[in-house]
């Protein structure tokens, strides 16, 4: 993989990322991996700025219409998916193109995530319902008690991240 390159085209919606990625893919005779958190869903078509049928015919795109809204898709599943696809592309080409505006997906692909254990759905539900019932002060206190290292070094104002950290500790 030493001589392989993945060009990543990023930016906000409607700035021409798809057209730029298609030009690059044609230049390098390669394929594109979409890094958009909504374009992967078959059922979503309005407001997601998917490539047009004509654009999809010009260059093969991965992660467009690849999943149902009934499936769980997150940055971790995207990371796994994108790594598999880039390896497949690299088996035939020296260059792959990634395009999208979901920063967390780009970060997952470029930097990777720490491996996290599977969380029992009951634990997740308990923490979420406790947070709803007892509020932020409860969550803050639980993180401080159960994970002082996280409490001292991480973001302790974002309830979603705090609940996820607590899930890992319970």
């Amino acid at each position: 993989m030493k001589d392989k390159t993945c060009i990543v085209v990023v930016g906000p919606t409607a700035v021409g990322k798809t057209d730029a990625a298609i030009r690059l893919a044609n230049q390098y005779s390669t394929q594109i991996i979409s890094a958009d958190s909504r374009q992967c869903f078959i059922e979503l078509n309005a407001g997601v700025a998917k490539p047009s049928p004509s654009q999809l015919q010009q260059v093969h795109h991965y992660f467009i219409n690849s999943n149902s809204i009934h499936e769980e898709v997150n940055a971790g599943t995207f990371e796994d998916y994108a790594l598999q696809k880039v390896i497949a592309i690299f088996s035939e080409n020296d260059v792959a193109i990634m395009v999208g505006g979901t920063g967390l997906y780009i970060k997952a692909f470029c930097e990777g995530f720490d491996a996290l254990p599977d969380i029992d759905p009951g634990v997740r539900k308990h923490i979420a319902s406790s947070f709803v019932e007892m509020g932020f002060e409860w969550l803050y206190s639980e993180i401080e008690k159960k994970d002082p290292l996280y409490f001292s070094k991480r973001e302790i104002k974002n309830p979603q991240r705090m609940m996820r950290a607590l899930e890992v500790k319970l």
Side-chain angles (χ1 to χ4, degrees):
M1 297 276 184
K2 194 175 178 182
D3 298 328
K4 307 292 184 175
T5 302
C6 183
I7 299 170
V8 181
V9 180
V10 297
T13 302
V15 296
K17 294 183 302 292
T18 299
D19 288 336
I22 289 171
R23 282 193 304 277
L24 286 167
N26 284 327
Q27 179 181 341
Y28 290 103
S29 300
T30 193
Q31 300 170 334
I32 294 173
I33 302 168
S34 169
D36 186 285
S37 63
R38 295 176 315 217
Q39 292 180 355
C40 66
F41 295 116
I42 298 164
E43 298 88 350
L44 296 182
N45 291 307
V48 295
K50 287 181 185 176
S52 69
S54 157
Q55 290 171 315
L56 292 172
Q57 284 181 347
Q58 290 178 52
V59 175
H60 182 77
H61 287 66
Y62 292 100
F63 212 59
I64 301 286
N65 296 326
S66 57
N67 298 81
S68 169
I69 58 173
H70 304 290
E71 298 173 66
E72 181 176 349
V73 178
N74 56 43
T77 55
F78 173 78
E79 176 188 16
D80 293 340
Y81 179 94
L83 289 172
Q84 289 175 9
K85 298 310 177 192
V86 80
I87 289 168
I89 292 169
F90 285 163
S91 72
E92 297 180 15
N93 302 335
D94 291 335
V95 175
I97 310 295
M98 179 172 286
V99 61
T102 303
L104 187 58
Y105 282 23
I106 301 289
K107 181 178 173 113
F109 176 78
C110 293
E111 298 175 18
F113 283 139
D114 293 335
L116 294 175
D118 290 333
I119 303 299
D120 180 328
V123 169
R124 179 169 284 144
K125 186 176 181 179
H126 167 72
I127 291 170
S129 63
S130 296
F131 173 65
V132 168
E133 182 181 323
M134 295 180 266
F136 186 79
E137 291 303 320
W138 170 83
L139 184 58
Y140 186 89
S141 173
E142 287 296 297
I143 288 289
E144 186 176 25
K145 285 188 282 188
K146 302 264 188 326
D147 196 345
L149 181 61
Y150 181 91
F151 184 82
S152 69
K153 298 190 182 225
R154 300 289 184 201
E155 186 176 340
I156 55 168
K157 294 183 181 184
N158 182 320
Q160 279 304 120
R161 290 185 183 170
M162 292 171 67
M163 285 190 283
R164 182 67 175 135
L166 193 55
E167 288 172 5
V168 172
K169 283 298 187 179
L170 295 183

